[in-house]
Amino acid sequence: MSRSRPRAPREPIEVRRQQVLDAARTLYLAGGFQAVNMEAIARVMGVSKPVVYAAYPDVEAVIAALVDREYTSIHKAMSEIADQARSTDDGQQALLTWMMGMFQLIQSEDSVWNVMLLQVNDAPAYLRERVNAGRATLRELLR
């Protein structure tokens, strides 16, 4: 009699996609993007590879979505900090508010910065494009 692993409960595709990205992020933080592959993602999630492939067609799509998610998250947080800083007419207070907000953000989201500060010189073109686009968006926010 063969022993099969228990089936993971069926999840809506959007939930499954977030789970895939969470697993990919875990793998990236442990070993860089070279550690991220569909088999490793499935292993971290405790599911079969077809479950991962149902959420994303390939590892490039997973990594692109992960980079997009991380930049979107940090952009939203930085926008909120900028809005708080702009809420005062006192320039010194605005700067202090912005600096404290950024400091707290860096402390609370330290793993996000790993993606943002990724060295992309030797990365595949799709990854370089995603990271550079995210950085451009953040630069615009700081103006």
Side-chain angles (χ1 to χ4, degrees):
M1 173 162 40
S2 72
R3 295 181 65 165
S4 62
R5 131 175 85 176
R7 293 178 59 99
R10 188 172 294 273
E11 299 279 357
I13 192 65
E14 282 307 314
V15 170
R16 201 50 99 184
R17 284 186 179 129
Q18 291 307 310
Q19 292 170 341
V20 168
L21 295 182
D22 291 343
R25 184 177 192 224
T26 297
L27 290 164
Y28 165 72
L29 292 173
F33 280 115
Q34 61 273 16
V36 180
N37 60 64
M38 299 304 247
E39 186 173 334
I41 291 168
R43 190 173 46 254
V44 168
M45 292 175 62
V47 298
S48 64
K49 283 195 301 186
V51 172
V52 178
Y53 279 106
Y56 290 97
D58 55 40
V59 74
E60 287 184 4
V62 172
I63 291 172
L66 175 62
V67 169
D68 289 348
R69 182 181 80 170
E70 300 301 298
Y71 273 100
T72 298
S73 170
I74 206 74
H75 183 269
K76 180 180 179 221
M78 288 175 71
S79 292
E80 290 169 2
I81 291 166
D83 289 345
Q84 288 175 341
R86 288 187 202 108
S87 69
T88 181
D89 292 331
D90 180 353
Q92 195 171 23
Q93 182 60 42
L95 180 60
L96 182 61
T97 299
W98 182 81
M99 289 173 53
M100 290 301 297
M102 289 300 294
F103 178 73
Q104 290 169 348
L105 177 62
I106 291 167
Q107 275 191 314
S108 68
E109 296 289 335
D110 62 338
S111 61
V112 171
W113 299 101
N114 287 320
V115 175
M116 289 184 55
L117 300 174
L118 173 71
Q119 295 298 316
V120 293
N121 299 342
D122 297 331
Y126 76 93
L127 182 55
R128 248 190 341 267
E129 291 168 12
R130 282 287 211 265
V131 169
N132 289 334
R135 288 176 180 166
T137 300
L138 294 178
R139 278 193 299 277
E140 285 299 313
L141 178 64
L142 295 174
R143 290 184 180 189

